[in-house]
Amino acid sequence: MTNPTIIDGTFLAMKKIEAVREQVEKICSQSLRAPKLAVILVGDNEASKIYVRNKEKKAKECFIDSETIILPSDVSKEELEETIFKLNLDEKVDAILLQLPLPQNLISDSFDEKYFLSLISPSKDVDCLTSFNQGRVFNGSSSIYPCTPQGVLNLIDFTYSDLDTSISFDSIKSANLAGKSALIVGRSLLVGKPLSLMLLNRNATVTMAHSKTQNLQDLVKDKDIIVTATGYPKLFNSQNVKDGAILIDVGINKLENGKLVGDLDFESFKNKDCYITPVPGGVGPMTIASLMENVVKLYKNR
Ligand code: NAD
């Protein structure tokens, strides 16, 4: 009987946070100011409040300055615009994160979330969501990459480094993905699309699937790497997944009993020879660690 090997995202994120903290300590030891992250939180979305609190906590651990600007859910379009413009001009702010989703009353046909994201200065756009930075992800010339896809790539590289826990985060090598076949399920601007380009830029052969794709269970066949980012539990099971495959589950789904699960039918993989991320404890911690890494990169760029 074989077992899946768990890819421990909590461990890898801790290593990444240590590496970021060392960089910030070095900056501060030269009597320079610490890098600063500004987060804009609009409205009362409970999940968003938890995410923002976690980000503040991680920033503190890395000695990164952080400020959260809380705006009421009935904030006007002009007030939100003004908040973003002020942060763009603030010399002490290196990175801006607009927490999504925005309240429905702010969204219209002409001004959707993409509109507000586009107001962030590309040099402070910490999750690479402005069109300018997306273009740079597209042509492979960006100095930073969106946080979740970056975390996914780190988890893949860590797995190809034999999950060696003795090495430092910075010594994990970029795996040679030439000739590897990858399936990405989900085509969002936040995860699936940028990840497909990042894997393509690393020479993987990429297949994309989404809500209109037929026969997903057949598509998983022969893939070396499978990433799911749909928010749809039990998307597929271990049937047809090849031995030794790497499965990265980005999805976060809350079941009726309150349990958090990913997109994969995790139970079905319990006798499978594969590498798999758990939910929670896989991609989630890596996303926050990548956010901290990006804050420091933007600080250095400026
Ligand atoms: P999204 O809603 O913007 O996109 C979902 C994508 O999944 C769409 O492209 C859709 O076509 C596809 N999809 C939906 N149902 C499908 C199905 N049955 N079969 C195939 N494809 C299907 O979502 P998102 O922002 O990309 O997030 C996806 C999931 O990842 C959510 O559960 C979200 O909470 C989670 N997430 C986790 C992290 C993290 O750090 N762990 C970060 C971002 C998102």
Side-chain angles (χ1 to χ4, degrees):
M1 191 92 70
T2 48
N3 286 313
T5 303
I6 300 295
I7 310 167
D8 187 348
T10 306
F11 172 82
L12 190 61
M14 186 190 77
K15 287 281 202 187
K16 188 164 182 159
I17 289 289
E18 268 172 24
V20 174
R21 190 171 47 225
E22 272 171 29
Q23 289 184 52
V24 179
E25 276 176 333
K26 212 166 158 189
I27 291 168
C28 294
S29 73
Q30 294 161 351
S31 304
L32 297 168
R33 69 168 177 85
K36 181 168 177 180
L37 167 69
V39 178
I40 306 171
L41 174 64
V42 190
D44 295 318
N45 183 304
E46 284 308 317
S48 293
K49 283 190 201 166
I50 296 171
Y51 292 143
V52 169
R53 264 205 302 277
N54 287 340
K55 285 164 190 167
E56 285 171 344
K57 216 171 109 194
K58 280 294 156 203
K60 210 168 180 182
E61 266 178 49
C62 296
F63 308 126
I64 288 173
D65 241 353
S66 84
E67 180 187 0
T68 303
I69 294 106
I70 301 173
L71 300 174
S73 48
D74 62 355
V75 69
S76 68
K77 167 181 165 285
E78 290 72 23
E79 278 172 289
L80 179 53
E81 287 171 343
E82 186 61 23
T83 305
I84 297 172
F85 294 147
K86 262 194 189 153
L87 293 172
N88 283 344
L89 292 173
D90 188 334
E91 277 301 316
K92 288 193 178 121
V93 171
D94 303 289
I96 303 171
L97 186 122
L98 177 60
Q99 183 67 45
L100 302 179
L102 294 176
Q104 272 312 310
N105 55 293
L106 268 175
I107 308 294
S108 66
D109 287 346
S110 328
F111 303 106
D112 57 3
E113 289 183 336
K114 279 189 232 131
Y115 165 74
F116 292 103
L117 288 167
S118 76
L119 303 179
I120 298 174
S121 160
S123 65
K124 298 187 178 188
D125 170 23
V126 74
D127 209 7
C128 261
L129 286 168
T130 55
S131 303
F132 182 82
N133 286 339
Q134 282 172 341
R136 298 187 82 169
V137 171
F138 186 89
N139 67 23
S141 69
S142 187
S143 64
I144 67 159
Y145 286 89
C147 303
T148 302
Q150 182 56 48
V152 170
L153 272 191
N154 292 148
L155 288 162
I156 293 170
D157 287 335
F158 182 47
T159 310
Y160 280 118
S161 308
D162 295 326
L163 302 170
D164 182 356
T165 52
S166 65
I167 56 175
S168 68
F169 182 82
D170 292 330
S171 8
I172 297 171
K173 290 199 174 66
S174 283
N176 178 7
L177 301 183
K180 302 287 181 203
S181 57
L183 170 68
I184 301 171
V185 194
R187 57 178 166 183
S188 70
L189 280 178
L190 203 63
V191 190
K193 273 188 194 165
L195 181 62
S196 69
L197 295 166
M198 289 158 74
L199 282 169
L200 208 53
N201 290 339
R202 294 269 302 265
N203 297 320
T205 304
V206 181
T207 304
M208 291 290 288
H210 47 79
S211 55
K212 305 283 185 270
T213 301
Q214 304 291 308
N215 304 328
L216 192 57
Q217 195 73 57
D218 292 340
L219 266 189
V220 303
K221 206 171 165 188
D222 296 330
K223 298 297 184 292
D224 300 298
I225 300 163
I226 301 172
V227 183
T228 57
T230 69
Y232 190 89
K234 298 207 174 172
L235 195 64
F236 59 84
N237 57 38
S238 63
Q239 195 194 333
N240 292 341
V241 173
K242 88 175 199 185
D243 284 350
I246 298 175
L247 294 122
I248 310 284
D249 193 344
V250 180
I252 304 173
N253 305 291
K254 199 169 187 179
L255 301 182
E256 274 178 13
N257 62 10
K259 198 178 163 198
L260 280 188
V261 297
D263 292 346
L264 295 170
D265 182 357
F266 197 81
E267 269 298 293
S268 75
F269 287 87
K270 69 173 187 248
N271 296 323
K272 185 85 196 166
D273 171 17
C274 66
Y275 299 88
I276 190 165
T277 54
V279 177
V283 177
M286 286 305 295
T287 296
I288 299 199
S290 300
L291 175 71
M292 299 305 140
E293 180 185 47
N294 280 356
V295 175
V296 176
K297 281 189 178 165
L298 291 179
Y299 171 94
K300 288 186 175 171
N301 287 351
R302 291 179 72 231

